[in-house]
Amino acid sequence: MLRSAINKSSGLNLLKFNQYRSMSQGKLTGKVAVVTASTEGIGFAIAKRLANDGASVVISSRKKDNVEKAVSEIRSISDKVAGIPCHVGKGEDRKLLLDFAVAKFGGIDFLVSNAAVNPVMCQILDTPEEAWDKIFDTNVKAAFLLTQAAVPLIEKRGGGAIVYVSSIAAFKPMEIIGAYSVSKTTLLGLTKAVAAQCSSMNIRVNCLCPGLIETKFSGGLTNSEESREIAFANIPMRRIGQPDECAGIVSFLCSDDASYVTGENFVVAGGYFSRL
């Protein structure tokens, strides 16, 4: 019964996506977006939505095969898509990513920083130092350094938008992913700080905070019927979200519809408690 409800909701979400697609198509025409960790899950859904809404999109992830597969899939809705392997923790890869976007599409208007890792499942004080370093190097430091390199390119185009992908765990840390939760809380602060400095450059900076979304990552938290029921007890909508349900808000934040929105964080979590 639970599985049937999930399948039904997924079908409804796909129908809604197709309806909204026809309404919003073209609003990002002429713009160029770079999306990290965008070959599957939330990142792929964001890249697909931005492409559908008219943007030229550069997708990336660490594995070349995954990049090629994702590019091929998005080309079914847009031919303005290209991809390049990128490990965001490596400076040379970050530079190649941005250089590739400029060479391929002439510049960068939007940066969506989605790359993140969580190598351990444990309470925060049990986190090994090497795991802590890896989490913060990828989830926070790489996002900052990529922003630092991208801002002059976005400013050169007359302004644009940056979106960081955080998590509902930024507001209410989850015990078994303690260090990851703290890294996502840090992105809320990074959003505020970068937004303040970039406002004079006509660059808006905001943050997406997904709740429990149907991805490989969430599989570790909902790998049984029992764990799903426990999770649903905290979600008023009583279901797991779909990646496409995170993509629309990013398209909005990149568009002129959000021209007076910066320094904010947006929770997409089915009503899961985050704040007043």
Side-chain angles (χ1 to χ4, degrees):
M1 182 175 178
L2 177 60
R3 193 70 64 177
S4 174
I6 292 170
N7 290 336
K8 182 179 179 181
S9 69
S10 298
L12 290 172
N13 292 333
L14 182 59
L15 177 61
K16 289 179 182 177
F17 173 73
N18 288 331
Q19 291 172 339
Y20 292 147
R21 181 166 64 181
S22 62
M23 293 168 57
S24 64
Q25 198 164 21
K27 70 179 181 180
L28 301 180
T29 298
K31 303 298 185 179
V32 180
V34 173
V35 187
T36 64
S38 47
T39 58
E40 61 183 21
I42 293 173
F44 178 74
I46 291 170
K48 182 173 65 174
R49 178 60 181 264
L50 296 181
N52 183 77
D53 289 349
S56 299
V57 179
V58 174
I59 65 174
S60 66
S61 72
R62 290 179 296 172
K63 295 182 180 180
K64 182 180 178 182
D65 289 349
N66 292 346
V67 171
E68 291 175 348
K69 179 182 177 184
V71 168
S72 177
E73 289 185 42
I74 294 179
R75 282 211 173 120
S76 66
I77 61 171
S78 172
D79 60 359
K80 295 178 293 185
V81 59
I84 182 173
C86 176
H87 187 312
V88 296
K90 298 179 179 179
E92 60 271 26
D93 278 22
R94 294 192 298 269
K95 184 177 187 306
L96 284 172
L97 173 63
L98 300 182
D99 288 349
F100 178 79
V102 172
K104 191 73 177 177
F105 295 120
I108 299 171
D109 299 283
F110 312 134
L111 170 65
V112 181
S113 179
N114 177 58
V117 297
N118 182 58
V120 293
M121 301 284 278
C122 63
Q123 292 186 321
I124 190 163
L125 295 182
D126 298 326
T127 307
E129 182 178 356
E130 60 271 19
W132 181 275
D133 288 343
K134 185 174 182 178
I135 289 168
F136 276 81
D137 280 349
T138 301
N139 300 6
V140 179
K141 184 179 178 181
F144 164 72
L145 293 174
L146 192 57
T147 301
Q148 203 172 45
V151 161
L153 301 174
I154 299 173
E155 184 182 19
K156 188 176 180 180
R157 297 269 287 188
I162 296 170
V163 179
Y164 298 116
V165 179
S166 179
S167 168
I168 191 70
F171 298 97
K172 187 177 181 181
M174 299 180 183
E175 286 190 23
I176 61 170
I177 49 172
Y180 174 88
S181 298
V182 174
S183 75
K184 292 299 186 176
T185 304
T186 306
L187 288 180
L188 304 184
L190 183 64
T191 297
K192 295 287 187 184
V194 177
Q197 184 172 353
C198 287
S199 60
S200 63
M201 307 173 199
N202 195 33
I203 299 174
R204 295 174 293 100
V205 185
N206 292 288
C207 190
L208 167 68
C209 302
L212 198 57
I213 307 297
E214 195 85 55
T215 63
K216 285 184 179 179
F217 178 82
S218 70
L221 302 174
T222 58
N223 54 10
S224 69
E225 198 77 7
E226 181 182 4
S227 61
R228 281 176 178 261
E229 288 290 358
I230 292 172
F232 288 176
N234 294 307
I235 303 173
M237 291 185 73
R238 295 287 295 169
R239 65 175 177 85
I240 294 176
Q242 298 300 311
D244 285 341
E245 293 181 291
C246 295
I249 190 70
V250 176
S251 180
F252 162 74
L253 291 172
C254 289
S255 76
D256 289 340
D257 290 337
S259 58
Y260 198 50
V261 180
T262 194
E264 299 294 341
N265 43 75
F266 294 82
V267 175
V268 179
Y272 188 95
F273 175 79
S274 60
R275 58 196 166 175
L276 293 177

